[in-house]
């Protein structure tokens, strides 16, 4: 069974990813503990972890404050990925070694196993293998310039944590997109690899926007009834 700390962390991360917490909003430990029916200790531990990841910050006067990730920031990050990662996939289809493609397939298999497991930290594992998959693909493109730009985008906290609001079906769809990319690489088909990556990122961005709109509507409804 997941610990109270892990459950609180997962819930707070999901809310941060979806936009349920607004930039600059103060997170009150006592309020969160009451809402989630836990003590303040797991809430404090979860917030410390989120602060280490750059999603919130400790302010001596205000306590814990949500860092700013506006919809525009997120859209900019995805638009940049949509420009660069399909190009990297195209390059990888022409340049990747057999060992690099095998490594991509291995990461995708590990991601699938994590999705299908009952491990309490399975979402952490899923997002880890997904992140490593995208980094490995950039490496397979064998372009130092592309890697220097895209590596930073892939490691943005708001990008890394997106799996916290994915359903199981969403995660499985991501694995299938990866399989299509790998198949294009094995076929040495640059156009197919580029198209598969573009589809994958566009679907991810669409899901992200949908989740944030849902959270915004829910927040608006809460304000109206309060």
């Amino acid at each position: 069974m997941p610990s109270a700390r892990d459950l609180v962390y997962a819930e707070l991360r999901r809310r941060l990813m979806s936009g349920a917490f607004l930039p600059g909003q103060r997170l009150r430990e006592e309020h969160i503990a009451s809402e989630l029916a836990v003590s303040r200790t797991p809430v404090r531990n979860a917030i410390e972890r989120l602060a280490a990841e750059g999603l919130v910050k400790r302010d001596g006067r205000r306590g814990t404050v949500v860092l700013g990730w506006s919809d525009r920031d997120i859209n900019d990050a995805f638009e940049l990925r949509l420009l660069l990662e399909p190009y990297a996939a195209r390059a990888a289809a022409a340049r990747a070694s057999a060992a690099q493609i095998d490594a991509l397939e291995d990461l995708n298999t590990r991601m699938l196993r994590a999705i299908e497991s009952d491990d309490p930290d399975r979402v952490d594992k899923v997002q880890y293998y997904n992140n490593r998959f995208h980094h490995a693909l950039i490496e397979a493109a064998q372009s130092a310039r592309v890697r220097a730009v895209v590596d930073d985008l892939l490691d943005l906290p708001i990008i890394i944590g997106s799996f916290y609001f994915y359903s199981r079906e969403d995660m499985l769809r991501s694995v299938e997109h990866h399989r299509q990319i790998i198949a294009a690489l094995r076929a040495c088909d640059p156009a197919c690899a580029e198209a598969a990556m573009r589809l994958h990122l566009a679907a991810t961005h669409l899901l992200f926007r949908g989740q944030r709109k849902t959270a915004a509507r829910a927040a608006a409804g809460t304000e109206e009834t309060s």
Side-chain angles (χ1 to χ4, degrees):
M1 288 289 292
S3 66
R5 178 186 60 186
D6 290 338
L7 289 171
V8 172
Y9 167 79
E11 176 59 18
L12 293 183
R13 197 142 192 351
R14 183 191 65 78
R15 295 185 188 186
L16 286 163
M17 293 298 100
S18 66
F21 294 134
L22 300 176
Q25 181 177 343
R26 180 182 173 189
L27 297 185
R28 302 176 184 273
E29 291 181 8
E30 64 276 12
H31 176 75
I32 295 170
S34 175
E35 181 185 356
L36 300 181
V38 296
S39 70
R40 291 181 63 174
T41 298
V43 176
R44 188 176 302 113
N45 290 338
I47 287 176
E48 287 174 355
R49 186 173 171 187
L50 293 168
E53 293 173 351
L55 289 168
V56 301
K57 69 175 180 179
R58 295 284 193 179
D59 187 309
R61 295 171 297 175
R62 300 182 61 200
T64 301
V65 179
V66 177
L67 291 178
W69 282 97
S70 67
D71 287 341
R72 182 173 181 177
D73 293 331
I74 294 167
N75 289 339
D76 284 349
F78 272 105
E79 288 299 332
L80 286 169
R81 291 185 69 189
L82 277 162
L83 285 171
L84 294 168
E85 287 191 72
Y87 171 81
R90 170 181 279 276
R95 303 170 184 169
S97 68
Q100 287 175 319
I101 298 174
D102 288 344
L104 285 165
E105 189 152 23
D106 179 67
L107 286 167
N108 204 39
T109 299
R110 291 173 184 270
M111 182 174 167
L112 176 60
R113 288 173 182 165
I115 294 168
E116 294 177 337
S117 76
D118 294 323
D119 294 343
D121 61 345
R122 73 186 188 98
V123 177
D124 285 336
K125 291 180 178 178
V126 170
Q127 70 177 21
Y128 171 78
Y129 289 126
N130 178 74
N131 181 262
R132 295 317 310 159
F133 178 93
H134 283 268
H135 275 293
L137 181 63
I138 299 304
E139 186 71 27
Q142 300 184 27
S143 170
R145 294 184 185 276
V146 171
R147 186 169 67 249
V149 176
V150 181
D151 277 351
D152 287 343
L153 285 172
L154 293 177
D155 290 334
L156 290 174
I158 199 72
I159 298 298
I160 290 178
S162 59
F163 278 91
Y164 274 87
F165 57 68
Y166 272 39
S167 67
R168 184 175 184 275
E169 290 71 24
D170 294 329
M171 295 181 189
L172 291 173
R173 189 177 301 112
S174 186
V175 167
E176 182 56 33
H177 288 168
H178 290 175
R179 285 175 176 158
Q180 293 167 6
I181 294 167
I182 292 167
L185 299 186
R186 289 203 186 279
C188 300
D189 189 329
C192 186
E194 180 179 3
M197 178 59 79
R198 193 175 303 281
L199 171 64
H200 176 45
L201 294 177
T204 302
H205 191 193
L206 182 64
L207 178 63
F208 213 117
R209 294 202 311 267
Q211 288 290 339
R212 289 180 70 83
K213 286 181 180 179
T214 299
R217 286 195 297 268
T222 300
E223 289 177 0
E224 290 175 1
T225 57
S226 61

